[in-house]
Amino acid sequence: MKDFKNKNGFITGAASGIGRSFALALAKRGMNLYITDINIDGLEKVKLELEKRGVKVFTGKCDVSKYDDFEKVANDFYEKMGEVDLLINNAGISIGMDMLNIDLEVWQKVIDTNLSSIIHSIKAFLPRMVKRGSGHIVNIASGAGILGIAEPIPYIASKFGVVGLSETFFARLKNLGINVSVIVPAWVKTNILVIDADKIQYPPKLLKDFGKEKLDTAYTTLMDTIAEGAISPDDAVEKYIEGIEKNQLYVFDADFYLELLKVKGEDPKQYENFLVEGLVNRGKKFREHFHNLGINIEDYM
Ligand SMILES: NC(=O)c1ccc[n+]([C@@H]2O[C@H](COP(=O)([O-])OP(=O)(O)OC[C@H]3O[C@@H](n4cnc5c(N)ncnc54)[C@H](O)[C@@H]3O)[C@@H](O)[C@H]2O)c1
């Protein structure tokens, strides 16, 4: 897709982060937008920012994990805007604890939000796109959708699913005039990386030894250490739009994924080592972060 001016875009999860930056960048290019989220206040703020760029903007509440919500906003979209040129399936969450203690409800919530959402979107929008024989579908996956080293584990399962669906839709839709891209972000500075101190249940002994204030600081700055080199969502989205303009299936914002995929194909043993070492290194960074603040975290794990 090369020209965005006066075309129609639909975005999920547009109230913050990558979704918001996509909306702003596309509005700058003259695209009219229908933006959705569960965070209505956030969405209305983004709408005001977009309108300053002189494009048509509509908002709709859509919990992507629910098909009924999708059907409702899709019908509203058709009524107000006509056909969809760019469909961006962006909304996502990253939750889940350590491997042995993930509740089934958490698995379900992550799969429904990150993966079933794409199925809902496709069901609501694809028939009319196929009939018209045009449009571009963009699914936001993750590095956690091509390499099995990140955590939480339900997030990895959902994002591998997003990548698989994107490949198969790319193959099935290419000859019907519809393009598909899958975005593979590495680390982007958005709310998904923000740890909410109020939701952390500290182990009682850890809390007693260090106090809530110190622990809140330690946990809320943890991602700054782990996600070193994270880029801004505005910069990330400029790279993603370049990939969309070239109709690329895979759109990366970090070269190291390409190198690792090469290793995966050419040297399976090295790749296996990388998977294990990658996890160990993340654990090392996690422990170092706490040590630097005077907390011997392994005594409390
Ligand atoms: N930020 C990163 O480093 C990173 C890395 C890899 C992949 N991603 C992916 O990028 C996408 C966007 O995330 P972000 O980084 O901008 O995070 P974010 O938290 O800033 O934005 C996510 C948005 O999705 C919305 N949302 C959450 N659950 C929803 C639901 N059920 N229905 C509708 N909207 C919902 C939130 O309200 C929020 O506005 C996600 O799919 C995420 O997995 C992000």
Side-chain angles (χ1 to χ4, degrees):
M1 170 163 207
K2 291 217 160 36
D3 189 15
F4 300 92
K5 200 168 172 54
N6 295 325
K7 299 274 177 63
N8 293 332
F10 179 97
I11 310 176
T12 67
S16 79
I18 294 172
R20 172 182 167 273
S21 290
F22 249 124
L24 290 169
L26 292 168
K28 199 171 97 191
R29 288 164 171 81
M31 182 169 245
N32 298 316
L33 294 163
Y34 194 114
I35 53 171
T36 67
D37 204 292
I38 45 173
N39 172 2
I40 299 303
D41 290 346
L43 208 53
E44 290 305 322
K45 282 190 195 131
V46 175
K47 183 179 188 225
L48 294 179
E49 291 183 272
L50 296 174
E51 281 171 342
K52 284 188 200 138
R53 301 187 172 190
V55 294
K56 276 190 227 152
V57 188
F58 299 97
T59 56
K61 181 180 173 293
C62 174
D63 178 343
V64 292
S65 66
K66 296 183 179 140
Y67 179 68
D68 287 354
D69 274 24
F70 249 109
E71 201 173 34
K72 216 160 96 196
V73 286
N75 287 336
D76 193 44
F77 172 91
Y78 293 135
E79 215 171 275
K80 290 176 172 150
M81 299 186 80
E83 302 301 326
V84 67
D85 299 296
L86 182 62
L87 172 60
I88 303 186
N89 296 312
N90 162 73
I93 52 169
S94 176
I95 53 169
M97 302 184 291
D98 80 286
M99 191 169 67
L100 301 179
N101 291 301
I102 305 168
D103 294 336
L104 284 178
E105 291 78 21
V106 169
W107 271 101
Q108 197 63 53
K109 190 172 165 82
V110 176
I111 298 294
D112 286 349
T113 308
N114 294 359
L115 180 57
S116 304
S117 57
I118 311 279
I119 299 162
H120 297 159
S121 172
I122 292 290
K123 186 161 169 54
F125 284 103
L126 191 59
R128 280 180 65 149
M129 292 175 89
V130 168
K131 200 164 167 205
R132 187 177 171 223
S134 74
H136 197 130
I137 299 169
V138 175
N139 298 324
I140 314 297
S142 168
I146 51 169
L147 305 171
I149 58 160
E151 299 215 31
I153 290 171
Y155 185 73
I156 298 189
S158 68
K159 292 297 186 178
F160 264 79
V162 174
V163 169
L165 273 182
S166 303
E167 283 205 2
T168 194
F169 277 118
F170 176 87
R172 291 285 283 108
L173 297 174
K174 196 75 183 166
N175 294 330
L176 300 178
I178 297 161
N179 284 300
V180 176
S181 297
V182 58
I183 311 272
V184 185
W187 293 109
V188 184
K189 277 185 204 136
T190 69
N191 288 337
I192 216 168
L193 302 184
V194 176
I195 295 177
D196 183 350
D198 291 338
K199 290 191 181 147
I200 305 173
Q201 277 187 308
Y202 296 118
K205 185 163 167 27
L206 184 66
L207 191 60
K208 184 167 162 280
D209 290 354
F210 297 100
K212 182 165 163 48
E213 202 176 323
K214 180 156 181 150
L215 292 178
D216 282 356
T217 307
Y219 276 87
T220 50
T221 53
L222 177 62
M223 273 302 177
D224 299 343
T225 311
I226 291 188
E228 233 174 334
I231 57 175
S232 81
D234 289 347
D235 288 347
V237 159
E238 287 304 320
K239 291 189 184 197
Y240 305 155
I241 290 179
E242 247 177 63
I244 293 168
E245 284 172 334
K246 291 180 189 154
N247 291 331
Q248 276 172 219
L249 168 58
Y250 279 101
V251 182
F252 295 94
D253 60 28
D255 291 342
F256 62 85
Y257 285 127
L258 295 171
E259 284 150 31
L260 286 167
L261 285 174
K262 212 165 145 199
V263 173
K264 194 174 187 173
E266 287 179 356
D267 190 345
K269 204 71 216 158
Q270 196 191 333
Y271 186 71
E272 288 169 16
N273 288 339
F274 159 77
L275 287 181
V276 178
E277 284 308 311
L279 205 62
V280 172
N281 281 337
R282 275 166 65 92
K284 220 184 272 168
K285 272 190 174 181
F286 171 87
R287 287 192 299 276
E288 271 167 19
H289 173 76
F290 284 94
H291 292 171
N292 290 341
L293 293 163
I295 304 170
N296 246 350
I297 195 72
E298 48 275 78
D299 294 347
Y300 300 88
M301 284 164 39

